[in-house]
Amino acid sequence: MTEVTSTLPEPARGKTGEALQDTLVDLLGLSLVGKQAHWNIVGPRFRSIHLQLDEIVSAAREFSDTVAERAAAIGVPPDGRPETIAARFALPGTKDGWLRDTEVVSLLVETLEAAIGRLRERIAVTEETDPVTQDLLIAITAELEKQRWMFQAEDYPRDN
């Protein structure tokens, strides 16, 4: 059996690997949510939000690669298979069909907020187990918070 060894002791490697795997699932799923919305958005703000969705998809895909490589570096095989993402993805997703621009903005704010909350939990877990992974998760959180702010600003002021 081929195995990549780690400089992290068990159980630190296990907890860190779980945090990385869960983050990988969230990021790959987020990129799919973003693309689905990108393809199906309609409304007067189509163009600006369409382009903004590309930014979040690019960030999610780039971060997913970095997260997967970090997992591999600590001896945990990353799992980005479609069936794994489908089975484990727990963030809000899109509905079927066309999506109004206002729906897309609300969805992205909600999805990013959920992802950020989950990342913050993993940041706490990795504080003790692996500060290197914690730094990576902090950087991802900062970018997702920026993206959430940008989407939220699309609906300001929002009349409810």
Side-chain angles (χ1 to χ4, degrees):
M1 179 175 159
T2 304
E3 189 171 321
V4 175
T5 59
S6 176
T7 58
L8 290 179
E10 284 293 342
R13 184 176 75 107
K15 289 181 181 178
T16 302
E18 183 178 328
L20 287 165
Q21 179 60 42
D22 290 344
T23 301
L24 180 62
V25 168
D26 284 356
L27 290 169
L28 290 172
L30 178 60
S31 73
L32 294 172
V33 168
K35 266 306 178 190
Q36 185 68 19
H38 173 87
W39 296 322
N40 289 286
I41 187 171
V42 294
R45 295 182 294 164
F46 165 83
R47 178 125 175 99
S48 64
I49 297 171
H50 182 79
L51 295 173
Q52 192 175 352
L53 287 163
D54 273 340
E55 290 178 29
I56 190 65
V57 168
S58 292
R61 287 179 177 170
E62 186 175 321
F63 282 134
S64 67
D65 190 50
T66 303
V67 164
E69 289 175 352
R70 178 68 189 151
I74 65 164
V76 176
D79 187 355
R81 296 172 300 155
E83 58 270 24
T84 300
I85 307 310
R88 294 182 60 185
F89 186 67
L91 299 175
T94 64
K95 65 177 187 170
D96 192 22
W98 302 115
L99 301 167
R100 292 283 311 167
D101 51 3
T102 53
E103 290 177 289
V104 170
V105 169
S106 294
L107 170 67
L108 265 291
V109 169
E110 180 184 1
T111 303
L112 288 165
E113 190 169 312
I116 290 161
R118 292 164 58 91
L119 276 163
R120 287 190 174 279
E121 291 171 6
R122 296 177 200 132
I123 288 168
V125 167
T126 56
E127 179 178 13
E128 295 283 327
T129 63
D130 183 25
V132 175
T133 295
Q134 184 190 42
D135 280 350
L136 173 60
L137 299 179
I138 289 169
I140 294 168
T141 302
E143 178 61 27
L144 295 187
E145 285 178 335
K146 182 180 104 178
Q147 292 292 333
R148 182 190 171 281
W149 158 63
M150 292 177 147
F151 277 102
Q152 189 177 39
E154 285 280 344
D155 268 355
Y156 185 83
R158 185 171 189 177
D159 297 324
N160 289 329

